[in-house]
Amino acid sequence: MKGIGFFLGGLLLETLGFRGALWAMAGLLALVLAGVLLSLPPMMGRKKASRSVRELFAKNPGINALAAARVVLFGARDVWFVVGVPVFLYSAGWTFTMVGTFLAAWTIAYGVVQALAPQIVRRSADGLSHEVPAARLWSALLALIAAALAVAVWLQAPNLEWVVVGGLGLFGFAFAVNSSVHSYLILAYAGSEKAAEDVGFYYAANALGRFIGTLLSGLLYQWGGLLYALIGSAVMLLICWLTTLALPLARHDAARVES
């Protein structure tokens, strides 16, 4: 559905223009809001929560390290995905619909690879001994892909737009596997009593990473074009890899820190 959204976004820009596209999306979101207000039961999914901000952030080492890795992982994607690549492709002569179609195809393929991730990274008996090294491996591969793309842009490789498109296809494959491994690990590290809160904390880190990536995408592209956006992505992925080195390999090492 996210992929279809990217396609429709490009199509709306092509047919209605920027302002018209915004009004169309606002109208559709109003319908969604009305549906949510009318259909969802009150106080859905209540569970014991932390009593203070200090307790909320007193997660076990596995959750804290994974949340930090998630911030830079999604920041590393959105730093090129939100502004850098769409503007680069548009400046290379692509139409809004073409750019939207590429982003849609990338997102849909990313979802397909996520669904296949359990066949790519086999589950270990203890749930961590294969998965934690996999998180480290795929983070390192992502950093290398982003760095290679930055070098290609810096050298102005022939048929650069297609080099970027192909490279981002490889990036998407590695990113989907890495993201799926992270989503498995948060459940492996989460405590049973506050699993919902632990998962929410992890996805808050995800949202923070997307905010940072979106902000940097515009700033870095304005300062240095796609090259700066890809360098920013490579740096964030290097930080992601370094952060995964702190992930515990055994469950007893990931015991919850009591406040």
Side-chain angles (χ1 to χ4, degrees):
M1 293 306 297
K2 286 166 64 177
I4 293 172
F6 280 113
F7 172 74
L8 291 177
L11 188 62
L12 286 172
L13 283 173
E14 194 80 28
T15 56
L16 300 181
F18 184 67
R19 184 170 299 185
L22 288 178
W23 279 113
M25 288 190 295
L28 291 172
L29 286 171
L31 292 176
V32 172
L33 176 61
V36 168
L37 293 175
L38 293 172
S39 63
L40 283 184
M43 303 304 292
M44 183 178 175
R46 294 182 66 184
K47 195 68 177 173
K48 181 180 178 182
S50 294
R51 292 164 293 182
S52 65
V53 173
R54 180 183 176 185
E55 186 178 343
L56 173 65
F57 283 92
K59 305 297 181 187
N60 68 54
I63 291 174
N64 284 333
L66 195 59
R70 194 73 172 181
V71 170
V72 283
L73 177 67
F74 270 76
R77 183 197 69 175
D78 284 357
V79 76
W80 61 261
F81 191 80
V82 175
V83 174
V85 166
V87 175
F88 167 77
L89 293 176
Y90 183 74
S91 66
W94 290 37
T95 65
F96 288 130
T97 303
M98 291 169 65
V99 174
T101 300
F102 167 68
L103 296 178
W106 191 96
T107 305
I108 292 169
Y110 158 78
V112 171
V113 175
Q114 278 195 310
L116 297 174
Q119 280 71 52
I120 299 171
V121 178
R122 294 293 182 179
R123 184 177 180 180
S124 58
D126 61 6
L128 293 175
S129 59
H130 290 171
E131 292 81 356
V132 171
R136 296 167 180 168
L137 171 65
W138 289 98
S139 295
L141 288 174
L142 275 171
L144 291 174
I145 292 170
L149 280 171
V151 171
V153 173
W154 177 55
L155 296 175
Q156 289 295 299
N159 300 311
L160 182 59
E161 62 189 281
W162 297 111
V163 171
V164 170
V165 167
L168 292 179
L170 294 175
F171 185 102
F173 183 91
F175 184 88
V177 175
N178 201 8
S179 177
S180 292
V181 172
H182 280 196
S183 294
Y184 167 80
L185 286 173
I186 185 60
L187 296 175
Y189 287 136
S192 59
E193 185 179 350
K194 293 185 179 179
E197 183 179 283
D198 290 342
V199 173
F201 179 78
Y202 162 80
Y203 276 104
N206 187 101
L208 176 61
R210 298 201 65 178
F211 170 77
I212 293 171
T214 299
L215 178 64
L216 287 178
S217 188
L219 289 174
L220 291 175
Y221 194 86
Q222 191 169 356
W223 292 336
L226 184 61
L227 174 62
Y228 276 31
L230 290 170
I231 291 173
S233 180
V235 170
M236 295 176 83
L237 288 166
L238 176 61
I239 296 171
C240 179
W241 173 72
L242 291 172
T243 305
T244 60
L245 298 180
L247 291 174
L249 278 165
R251 294 183 189 278
H252 62 79
D253 294 331
R256 179 178 291 277
V257 179
E258 298 293 341
S259 60

